[in-house]
Amino acid sequence: MFARSSAATVVAAALAVVPAHADALADFYKGRQINLIVGYGPGGGYDIHARLLARHFGKFIPGHPTVVVQNMPGAGSLRAVNYLYNVAPKDGATIGTFARNMPLLGLLGGNSNVQFDPRRLTWLGSTSSFANDAYILLVRKDAPVKSIEEARRSDFPALVLGATAEGATGNDVPIILRDTIGLHVKQVVGYPDTASIFLAMERGEIHGRTVDLSTVKSIKPEWLKPDSDFRVLVQFARTTRHPDFPDVPTARELAKNEAARALIELAELPYALSRPFAAPPHLSAARAKALQRAFLAVHGDLEYLEDAAKLSLDVSPIGADEILRAIDRIAVAPPELLDYVRRLLAETRGGGQAQ
């Protein structure tokens, strides 16, 4: 009898606390502005996802705060995640989005510029698990190589690809493809953002770039038409070929050997958290839960989904727990593969993350 009575008391107490928590959260967020830090300049894939979320996120948070995007480009979004971790107020009124490979960078160590532990961030989730996306090598049709077979031959001219500044995906994937499938490539780094890389491609200053398929669909959909001036040579971050490109091979298919395939699979792990969102560490449990619930709820909102469809964005969300599981899988990767990634980052430092 005592146990049953105690259990009923606990349930009643918990139910009584919920409105109190909700009232406290509403009091905090009512009339308040949530700052959404984006680790890139306006117009790229991360920025587009962030602005879409900002338009709908507040209505799922008690008190219905406004959400304002603040672009903080620099160091392939490392500047933004360092700010979020070390400087941003830890009150639930600042969140951020940054490169998908920042958790990997945070786990590797050995870089004094990395000033965060990805396991201690307050994760909200990712708007995309990349289930419906692909990371593609997109090149001009007048490039000196016309197929992935020619692009792997050292007796053909190297593909000249553009990237931003500070070693991350936009720099790393071409080098990984060089080492695992034999891609003959040269990189031009230092472009400030996605728009400038696309402009360089249009002008013929570079042959192409690696980029999310969803970003191209959203910003340059005409480039994907059969009669366009561009073609896709290879797909990365895919276990199978994307349905839009059944004749384009995946990197895994082209791997030179099993060791190369294992490296590709490690490098593809961060794509499970393709568009990550997080808050600073040490948030109160109630505010962290409110933000996490709101993040998942917004992805079921019809208005949000309609806006995402208009932008041709991949919506395949995962929550905070799945983010942490993905980070754990990266952390237990074989040491020799993690060592390769450390050397890769040293090689590409000064190059950058495509958006």
Side-chain angles (χ1 to χ4, degrees):
M1 177 64 115
F2 174 78
R4 183 179 300 172
S5 175
S6 297
T9 301
V10 170
V11 170
L15 292 173
V17 168
V18 171
H21 279 175
D23 289 345
L25 289 167
D27 289 343
F28 174 76
Y29 281 113
K30 186 175 182 180
R32 191 175 292 268
Q33 173 179 301
I34 291 180
N35 296 319
L36 172 46
I37 307 299
V38 180
Y40 296 97
Y46 287 91
D47 182 69
I48 292 171
H49 276 269
R51 291 181 187 277
L52 173 61
L53 184 78
R55 290 199 294 273
H56 300 275
F57 192 41
K59 64 185 175 184
F60 293 97
I61 300 172
H64 309 304
T66 58
V67 182
V68 177
V69 170
Q70 296 183 359
N71 296 93
M72 188 181 290
S77 81
L78 180 58
R79 177 189 175 204
V81 69
N82 280 341
Y83 170 84
L84 192 71
Y85 192 86
N86 298 290
V87 180
K90 297 172 173 58
D91 60 358
T94 303
I95 61 176
T97 185
F98 38 80
R100 62 178 66 101
N101 71 337
M102 285 295 114
L104 171 60
L105 196 64
L107 291 171
L108 288 174
N111 183 345
S112 61
N113 294 321
V114 176
Q115 299 167 9
F116 68 94
D117 181 345
R119 291 162 291 199
R120 296 179 63 190
L121 285 165
T122 303
W123 290 101
L124 307 188
S126 172
T127 59
S128 169
S129 64
F130 228 65
N132 307 312
D133 213 334
Y135 199 68
I136 57 174
L137 172 56
L138 182 69
V139 301
R140 293 174 59 94
K141 285 183 178 175
D142 62 3
V145 297
K146 309 302 180 185
S147 66
I148 189 59
E149 290 76 23
E150 290 183 356
R152 300 167 73 192
R153 290 177 52 174
S154 60
D155 58 333
F156 274 70
L159 277 174
V160 179
L161 306 182
T164 54
E166 185 68 23
T169 307
N171 257 15
D172 298 348
V173 170
I175 300 304
I176 292 169
L177 293 176
R178 179 197 69 187
D179 294 346
T180 58
I181 73 170
L183 184 69
H184 190 200
V185 63
K186 176 183 178 181
Q187 295 197 91
V188 177
V189 301
Y191 289 98
D193 51 36
T194 276
S196 61
I197 301 177
F198 280 151
L199 182 59
M201 290 174 65
E202 287 179 321
R203 291 175 172 173
E205 297 170 7
I206 55 177
H207 298 139
R209 66 174 298 188
T210 51
V211 62
D212 290 355
L213 173 59
S214 59
T215 296
V216 184
K217 285 183 174 181
S218 181
I219 300 174
K220 296 287 186 182
E222 67 277 9
W223 287 12
L224 298 172
K225 295 179 179 178
D227 60 350
S228 79
D229 294 328
F230 300 88
R231 61 163 57 97
V232 177
L233 294 186
V234 68
Q235 310 180 48
F236 193 78
R238 295 287 307 180
T239 57
T240 59
R241 298 183 183 190
H242 192 282
D244 289 358
F245 298 98
D247 298 325
V248 177
T250 67
R252 296 185 186 204
E253 292 175 61
L254 301 175
K256 294 186 287 188
N257 49 46
E258 285 304 311
R261 183 182 173 89
L263 177 56
I264 290 169
E265 291 175 0
L266 170 63
E268 290 177 341
L269 277 177
Y271 288 80
L273 42 131
S274 183
R275 302 294 183 184
F277 287 79
H282 310 306
L283 258 63
S284 73
R287 292 179 190 173
K289 288 294 183 186
L291 293 173
Q292 289 164 346
R293 289 193 189 103
F295 184 85
L296 290 178
V298 75
H299 291 88
D301 179 62
L302 290 179
E303 292 181 356
Y304 172 90
L305 293 172
E306 287 173 1
D307 285 351
K310 292 174 185 175
L311 294 167
S312 299
L313 298 182
D314 172 39
V315 179
S316 51
I318 60 173
D321 291 343
E322 290 179 80
I323 292 271
L324 290 170
R325 284 194 288 270
I327 291 173
D328 287 342
R329 289 197 298 273
I330 295 170
V332 299
E336 64 272 16
L337 296 183
L338 294 175
D339 285 343
Y340 169 86
V341 176
R342 291 187 186 95
R343 293 194 301 270
L344 173 67
L345 291 175
E347 177 179 349
T348 61
R349 192 164 293 155
Q353 158 83 34
Q355 301 179 56

